[in-house]
CSV table of all heavy atoms in Angstrom, one decimal:
chain,number,residue,atom,x,y,z
A,120,ARG,N,-13.9,-2.3,-16.9
A,120,ARG,CA,-15.3,-2.4,-17.2
A,120,ARG,C,-16.1,-2.9,-16.1
A,120,ARG,O,-17.0,-3.8,-16.2
A,120,ARG,CB,-15.5,-3.2,-18.5
A,120,ARG,CG,-14.7,-2.8,-19.7
A,120,ARG,CD,-15.1,-1.4,-20.2
A,120,ARG,NE,-14.6,-1.2,-21.6
A,120,ARG,CZ,-14.7,0.0,-22.2
A,120,ARG,NH1,-15.3,1.0,-21.6
A,120,ARG,NH2,-14.2,0.1,-23.4
A,121,ALA,N,-15.9,-2.4,-14.9
A,121,ALA,CA,-16.5,-2.9,-13.7
A,121,ALA,C,-16.9,-1.7,-12.8
A,121,ALA,O,-16.4,-0.6,-12.9
A,121,ALA,CB,-15.6,-3.8,-12.9
A,122,GLU,N,-17.9,-1.9,-11.9
A,122,GLU,CA,-18.3,-0.9,-11.0
A,122,GLU,C,-17.2,-0.8,-9.9
A,122,GLU,O,-16.6,-1.8,-9.5
A,122,GLU,CB,-19.6,-1.4,-10.3
A,122,GLU,CG,-20.8,-1.3,-11.2
A,122,GLU,CD,-21.2,0.1,-11.6
A,122,GLU,OE1,-21.0,1.0,-10.8
A,122,GLU,OE2,-21.6,0.3,-12.8
A,123,PRO,N,-17.0,0.4,-9.4
A,123,PRO,CA,-16.0,0.6,-8.3
A,123,PRO,C,-16.4,-0.3,-7.1
A,123,PRO,O,-17.6,-0.3,-6.8
A,123,PRO,CB,-16.1,2.1,-8.0
A,123,PRO,CG,-16.5,2.7,-9.3
A,123,PRO,CD,-17.5,1.7,-9.9
A,124,PRO,N,-15.5,-1.0,-6.5
A,124,PRO,CA,-15.9,-1.9,-5.4
A,124,PRO,C,-16.3,-1.2,-4.1
A,124,PRO,O,-15.9,0.0,-3.9
A,124,PRO,CB,-14.6,-2.7,-5.2
A,124,PRO,CG,-13.5,-1.7,-5.6
A,124,PRO,CD,-14.1,-1.0,-6.8
A,125,GLY,N,-17.0,-1.9,-3.3
A,125,GLY,CA,-17.4,-1.3,-2.0
A,125,GLY,C,-16.2,-1.0,-1.1
A,125,GLY,O,-16.3,0.0,-0.3
A,126,TRP,N,-15.1,-1.8,-1.2
A,126,TRP,CA,-14.0,-1.5,-0.3
A,126,TRP,C,-13.4,-0.2,-0.6
A,126,TRP,O,-12.7,0.4,0.2
A,126,TRP,CB,-13.0,-2.6,-0.3
A,126,TRP,CG,-12.3,-2.9,-1.7
A,126,TRP,CD1,-12.7,-4.0,-2.5
A,126,TRP,CD2,-11.3,-2.2,-2.3
A,126,TRP,NE1,-11.9,-3.9,-3.6
A,126,TRP,CE2,-11.0,-2.9,-3.6
A,126,TRP,CE3,-10.6,-1.1,-2.0
A,126,TRP,CZ2,-10.1,-2.4,-4.5
A,126,TRP,CZ3,-9.6,-0.6,-2.9
A,126,TRP,CH2,-9.4,-1.3,-4.1
A,127,LEU,N,-13.5,0.3,-1.9
A,127,LEU,CA,-12.9,1.6,-2.2
A,127,LEU,C,-13.7,2.7,-1.5
A,127,LEU,O,-13.0,3.7,-1.0
A,127,LEU,CB,-12.9,1.8,-3.7
A,127,LEU,CG,-12.3,3.0,-4.3
A,127,LEU,CD1,-10.8,3.1,-3.8
A,127,LEU,CD2,-12.3,3.0,-5.8
A,128,ALA,N,-15.0,2.6,-1.4
A,128,ALA,CA,-15.8,3.6,-0.7
A,128,ALA,C,-15.4,3.6,0.8
A,128,ALA,O,-15.3,4.6,1.5
A,128,ALA,CB,-17.2,3.4,-0.9
A,129,ALA,N,-15.2,2.4,1.3
A,129,ALA,CA,-14.8,2.2,2.7
A,129,ALA,C,-13.5,2.8,3.0
A,129,ALA,O,-13.2,3.4,4.1
A,129,ALA,CB,-14.9,0.7,3.1
A,130,ALA,N,-12.6,2.7,2.0
A,130,ALA,CA,-11.2,3.3,2.2
A,130,ALA,C,-11.3,4.8,2.2
A,130,ALA,O,-10.6,5.5,3.0
A,130,ALA,CB,-10.3,2.8,1.1
A,131,ARG,N,-12.1,5.4,1.3
A,131,ARG,CA,-12.3,6.8,1.3
A,131,ARG,C,-12.7,7.3,2.7
A,131,ARG,O,-12.3,8.3,3.2
A,131,ARG,CB,-13.3,7.2,0.2
A,131,ARG,CG,-12.8,7.1,-1.2
A,131,ARG,CD,-13.9,7.7,-2.1
A,131,ARG,NE,-13.6,7.4,-3.5
A,131,ARG,CZ,-13.0,8.3,-4.3
A,131,ARG,NH1,-12.5,9.4,-3.8
A,131,ARG,NH2,-12.8,8.1,-5.6
A,132,GLU,N,-13.7,6.6,3.2
A,132,GLU,CA,-14.3,7.0,4.5
A,132,GLU,C,-13.2,6.9,5.6
A,132,GLU,O,-13.1,7.7,6.5
A,132,GLU,CB,-15.5,6.1,4.8
A,132,GLU,CG,-16.2,6.5,6.1
A,132,GLU,CD,-16.7,7.9,6.2
A,132,GLU,OE1,-17.0,8.5,5.1
A,132,GLU,OE2,-16.9,8.4,7.3
A,133,ALA,N,-12.4,5.8,5.6
A,133,ALA,CA,-11.4,5.6,6.6
A,133,ALA,C,-10.3,6.8,6.6
A,133,ALA,O,-9.8,7.1,7.7
A,133,ALA,CB,-10.7,4.3,6.4
A,134,TRP,N,-10.1,7.4,5.4
A,134,TRP,CA,-9.1,8.4,5.3
A,134,TRP,C,-9.7,9.8,5.3
A,134,TRP,O,-9.0,10.8,5.1
A,134,TRP,CB,-8.3,8.2,4.1
A,134,TRP,CG,-7.3,7.1,4.2
A,134,TRP,CD1,-7.5,5.8,3.8
A,134,TRP,CD2,-6.0,7.2,4.7
A,134,TRP,NE1,-6.3,5.1,4.1
A,134,TRP,CE2,-5.4,5.9,4.6
A,134,TRP,CE3,-5.2,8.2,5.3
A,134,TRP,CZ2,-4.1,5.6,5.1
A,134,TRP,CZ3,-3.9,7.9,5.7
A,134,TRP,CH2,-3.4,6.6,5.6
A,135,ARG,N,-11.0,9.9,5.5
A,135,ARG,CA,-11.7,11.2,5.3
A,135,ARG,C,-11.3,12.3,6.3
A,135,ARG,O,-11.1,13.4,6.0
A,135,ARG,CB,-13.2,11.0,5.4
A,135,ARG,CG,-14.1,12.2,5.1
A,135,ARG,CD,-15.5,11.9,5.2
A,135,ARG,NE,-15.9,11.3,6.5
A,135,ARG,CZ,-16.2,12.0,7.6
A,135,ARG,NH1,-16.1,13.3,7.6
A,135,ARG,NH2,-16.5,11.4,8.7
A,136,ALA,N,-11.3,11.9,7.6
A,136,ALA,CA,-11.0,12.9,8.6
A,136,ALA,C,-9.6,13.4,8.6
A,136,ALA,O,-8.6,12.5,8.6
A,136,ALA,CB,-11.4,12.3,10.0
A,137,PRO,N,-9.3,14.7,8.6
A,137,PRO,CA,-7.9,15.2,8.6
A,137,PRO,C,-7.3,15.0,10.0
A,137,PRO,O,-8.0,15.0,11.0
A,137,PRO,CB,-8.1,16.6,8.3
A,137,PRO,CG,-9.5,17.0,8.8
A,137,PRO,CD,-10.3,15.8,8.5
A,138,TYR,N,-6.0,14.9,10.0
A,138,TYR,CA,-5.2,14.8,11.3
A,138,TYR,C,-5.2,16.1,11.9
A,138,TYR,O,-4.9,17.1,11.3
A,138,TYR,CB,-3.8,14.2,11.0
A,138,TYR,CG,-3.0,14.1,12.2
A,138,TYR,CD1,-3.1,13.0,13.0
A,138,TYR,CD2,-2.1,15.1,12.6
A,138,TYR,CE1,-2.3,12.9,14.2
A,138,TYR,CE2,-1.3,15.0,13.7
A,138,TYR,CZ,-1.4,13.9,14.5
A,138,TYR,OH,-0.7,13.8,15.7
A,139,GLU,N,-5.4,16.1,13.3
A,139,GLU,CA,-5.4,17.4,14.0
A,139,GLU,C,-4.5,17.4,15.2
A,139,GLU,O,-4.5,18.4,16.0
A,139,GLU,CB,-6.9,17.7,14.4
A,139,GLU,CG,-7.8,17.9,13.2
A,139,GLU,CD,-9.2,18.3,13.6
A,139,GLU,OE1,-9.5,18.0,14.8
A,139,GLU,OE2,-10.0,18.7,12.8
A,140,GLY,N,-3.7,16.4,15.4
A,140,GLY,CA,-2.9,16.4,16.6
A,140,GLY,C,-1.5,17.0,16.4
A,140,GLY,O,-1.3,17.7,15.4
A,141,ALA,N,-0.6,16.8,17.4
A,141,ALA,CA,0.8,17.3,17.2
A,141,ALA,C,1.5,16.5,16.1
A,141,ALA,O,1.3,15.3,15.9
A,141,ALA,CB,1.5,17.1,18.6
A,142,ARG,N,2.4,17.2,15.4
A,142,ARG,CA,3.1,16.6,14.3
A,142,ARG,C,4.5,16.1,14.7
A,142,ARG,O,5.1,16.7,15.7
A,142,ARG,CB,3.2,17.5,13.1
A,142,ARG,CG,1.8,18.1,12.6
A,142,ARG,CD,1.9,18.6,11.3
A,142,ARG,NE,2.2,17.6,10.3
A,142,ARG,CZ,1.3,16.8,9.7
A,142,ARG,NH1,0.0,16.9,10.1
A,142,ARG,NH2,1.6,15.9,8.8
A,143,ARG,N,4.9,15.1,14.1
A,143,ARG,CA,6.3,14.5,14.3
A,143,ARG,C,7.1,14.4,13.0
A,143,ARG,O,6.5,14.4,12.0
A,143,ARG,CB,6.1,13.1,15.0
A,143,ARG,CG,5.5,13.1,16.4
A,143,ARG,CD,5.4,11.7,16.9
A,143,ARG,NE,4.3,11.0,16.2
A,143,ARG,CZ,4.1,9.7,16.3
A,143,ARG,NH1,4.8,9.0,17.2
A,143,ARG,NH2,3.1,9.1,15.7
A,144,THR,N,8.4,14.4,13.2
A,144,THR,CA,9.2,14.2,12.0
A,144,THR,C,9.7,12.7,11.9
A,144,THR,O,9.7,12.0,12.9
A,144,THR,CB,10.4,15.1,12.0
A,144,THR,OG1,11.2,14.8,13.2
A,144,THR,CG2,10.0,16.6,12.1
A,145,ALA,N,10.1,12.3,10.7
A,145,ALA,CA,10.5,10.9,10.5
A,145,ALA,C,11.5,10.8,9.3
A,145,ALA,O,11.5,11.7,8.4
A,145,ALA,CB,9.3,10.0,10.3
A,146,ILE,N,12.3,9.8,9.4
A,146,ILE,CA,13.0,9.3,8.2
A,146,ILE,C,12.4,7.9,7.9
A,146,ILE,O,12.0,7.2,8.9
A,146,ILE,CB,14.5,9.2,8.4
A,146,ILE,CG1,14.9,8.4,9.6
A,146,ILE,CG2,15.1,10.7,8.5
A,146,ILE,CD1,16.4,8.2,9.7
A,147,VAL,N,12.4,7.5,6.7
A,147,VAL,CA,11.8,6.2,6.3
A,147,VAL,C,12.8,5.4,5.4
A,147,VAL,O,12.8,5.5,4.2
A,147,VAL,CB,10.5,6.4,5.5
A,147,VAL,CG1,9.8,5.1,5.3
A,147,VAL,CG2,9.6,7.4,6.2
A,148,PRO,N,13.7,4.7,6.1
A,148,PRO,CA,14.6,3.8,5.3
A,148,PRO,C,13.9,2.7,4.5
A,148,PRO,O,12.9,2.1,5.1
A,148,PRO,CB,15.5,3.2,6.4
A,148,PRO,CG,15.4,4.1,7.5
A,148,PRO,CD,14.0,4.6,7.5
A,149,ILE,N,14.3,2.4,3.3
A,149,ILE,CA,13.7,1.3,2.6
A,149,ILE,C,14.8,0.3,2.2
A,149,ILE,O,14.4,-0.7,1.6
A,149,ILE,CB,13.0,1.9,1.3
A,149,ILE,CG1,14.0,2.6,0.4
A,149,ILE,CG2,11.8,2.7,1.7
A,149,ILE,CD1,13.5,2.9,-1.0
A,150,TRP,N,16.1,0.6,2.5
A,150,TRP,CA,17.1,-0.3,2.1
A,150,TRP,C,18.3,0.0,3.0
A,150,TRP,O,18.5,1.1,3.5
A,150,TRP,CB,17.5,-0.2,0.6
A,150,TRP,CG,18.2,-1.5,0.1
A,150,TRP,CD1,19.5,-1.7,-0.1
A,150,TRP,CD2,17.5,-2.7,-0.2
A,150,TRP,NE1,19.7,-3.0,-0.6
A,150,TRP,CE2,18.5,-3.6,-0.6
A,150,TRP,CE3,16.2,-3.1,-0.2
A,150,TRP,CZ2,18.2,-4.9,-1.0
A,150,TRP,CZ3,15.9,-4.4,-0.6
A,150,TRP,CH2,16.9,-5.3,-1.0
A,151,ARG,N,19.2,-1.0,3.2
A,151,ARG,CA,20.5,-0.8,3.8
A,151,ARG,C,21.6,-1.4,3.0
A,151,ARG,O,21.3,-2.4,2.3
A,151,ARG,CB,20.4,-1.3,5.3
A,151,ARG,CG,20.2,-2.8,5.4
A,151,ARG,CD,20.0,-3.2,6.9
A,151,ARG,NE,21.1,-2.8,7.7
A,151,ARG,CZ,21.2,-3.0,9.0
A,151,ARG,NH1,20.1,-3.5,9.7
A,151,ARG,NH2,22.2,-2.6,9.7
A,152,ARG,N,22.8,-0.9,3.2
A,152,ARG,CA,23.9,-1.4,2.4
A,152,ARG,C,23.7,-1.2,0.9
A,152,ARG,O,23.6,-2.2,0.2
A,152,ARG,CB,24.3,-2.8,2.7
A,152,ARG,CG,24.8,-3.0,4.2
A,152,ARG,CD,25.3,-4.4,4.5
A,152,ARG,NE,24.2,-5.3,4.4
A,152,ARG,CZ,23.4,-5.6,5.4
A,152,ARG,NH1,23.5,-5.0,6.6
A,152,ARG,NH2,22.4,-6.5,5.3
A,153,PRO,N,23.5,-0.1,0.3
A,153,PRO,CA,23.6,1.2,1.0
A,153,PRO,C,22.2,1.7,1.6
A,153,PRO,O,21.2,1.2,1.2
A,153,PRO,CB,24.0,2.2,-0.1
A,153,PRO,CG,23.3,1.6,-1.3
A,153,PRO,CD,23.3,0.1,-1.2
A,154,TRP,N,22.3,2.6,2.5
A,154,TRP,CA,21.1,3.1,3.1
A,154,TRP,C,20.3,4.0,2.1
A,154,TRP,O,20.9,4.9,1.4
A,154,TRP,CB,21.4,3.9,4.3
A,154,TRP,CG,21.7,3.1,5.5
A,154,TRP,CD1,23.0,2.7,5.9
A,154,TRP,CD2,20.9,2.4,6.4
A,154,TRP,NE1,23.0,1.9,7.0
A,154,TRP,CE2,21.6,1.7,7.3
A,154,TRP,CE3,19.5,2.4,6.5
A,154,TRP,CZ2,21.1,0.9,8.3
A,154,TRP,CZ3,18.9,1.6,7.6
A,154,TRP,CH2,19.7,0.9,8.4
A,155,MET,N,19.1,3.7,1.9
A,155,MET,CA,18.2,4.5,1.0
A,155,MET,C,16.9,4.8,1.8
A,155,MET,O,16.5,4.1,2.7
A,155,MET,CB,17.8,3.7,-0.2
A,155,MET,CG,19.0,3.3,-1.1
A,155,MET,SD,18.5,2.3,-2.5
A,155,MET,CE,17.5,3.5,-3.4
A,156,VAL,N,16.4,6.0,1.5
A,156,VAL,CA,15.2,6.5,2.3
A,156,VAL,C,14.1,7.0,1.3
A,156,VAL,O,14.4,7.3,0.1
A,156,VAL,CB,15.5,7.6,3.3
A,156,VAL,CG1,16.5,7.1,4.3
A,156,VAL,CG2,16.1,8.8,2.6
A,157,VAL,N,12.9,7.1,1.8
A,157,VAL,CA,11.9,7.7,1.0
A,157,VAL,C,12.1,9.2,0.9
A,157,VAL,O,12.4,9.9,1.9
A,157,VAL,CB,10.5,7.5,1.7
A,157,VAL,CG1,9.4,8.3,1.0
A,157,VAL,CG2,10.2,6.0,1.7
A,158,GLY,N,12.1,9.7,-0.4
A,158,GLY,CA,12.3,11.1,-0.6
A,158,GLY,C,11.0,11.9,-1.0
A,158,GLY,O,10.0,11.8,-0.4
A,159,ARG,N,11.1,12.6,-2.1
A,159,ARG,CA,10.0,13.5,-2.5
A,159,ARG,C,8.9,12.7,-3.3
A,159,ARG,O,9.1,11.7,-3.9
A,159,ARG,CB,10.6,14.6,-3.5
A,159,ARG,CG,11.1,14.0,-4.8
A,159,ARG,CD,11.4,15.2,-5.8
A,159,ARG,NE,12.0,14.6,-7.0
A,159,ARG,CZ,11.2,14.1,-8.0
A,159,ARG,NH1,9.9,14.1,-7.9
A,159,ARG,NH2,11.8,13.6,-9.1
A,160,ASP,N,7.7,13.3,-3.3
A,160,ASP,CA,6.6,12.9,-4.1
A,160,ASP,C,6.3,11.4,-4.1
A,160,ASP,O,6.3,10.7,-5.1
A,160,ASP,CB,6.8,13.3,-5.6
A,160,ASP,CG,7.0,14.8,-5.7
A,160,ASP,OD1,6.5,15.6,-4.8
A,160,ASP,OD2,7.7,15.3,-6.6
């Protein structure tokens, strides 16, 4: 029951411009023993 905060508008603006450079691939481990990585969605 509150107005959306100003920082939320600032965050939208920070992410507004699309990326246009060369792309890279990555794996993103989040745990070891056992190794786990970020997957889908």
Side-chain angles (χ1 to χ4, degrees):
R120 302 295 193 188
E122 292 294 323
W126 60 258
L127 186 55
R131 286 183 188 270
E132 181 62 24
W134 286 93
R135 181 179 59 82
Y138 179 83
E139 296 180 345
R142 304 198 66 82
R143 293 176 290 173
T144 60
I146 57 173
V147 190
I149 58 168
W150 204 258
R151 62 187 303 174
R152 295 184 296 273
W154 287 93
M155 299 175 65
V156 299
V157 171
R159 64 170 180 83
D160 301 334

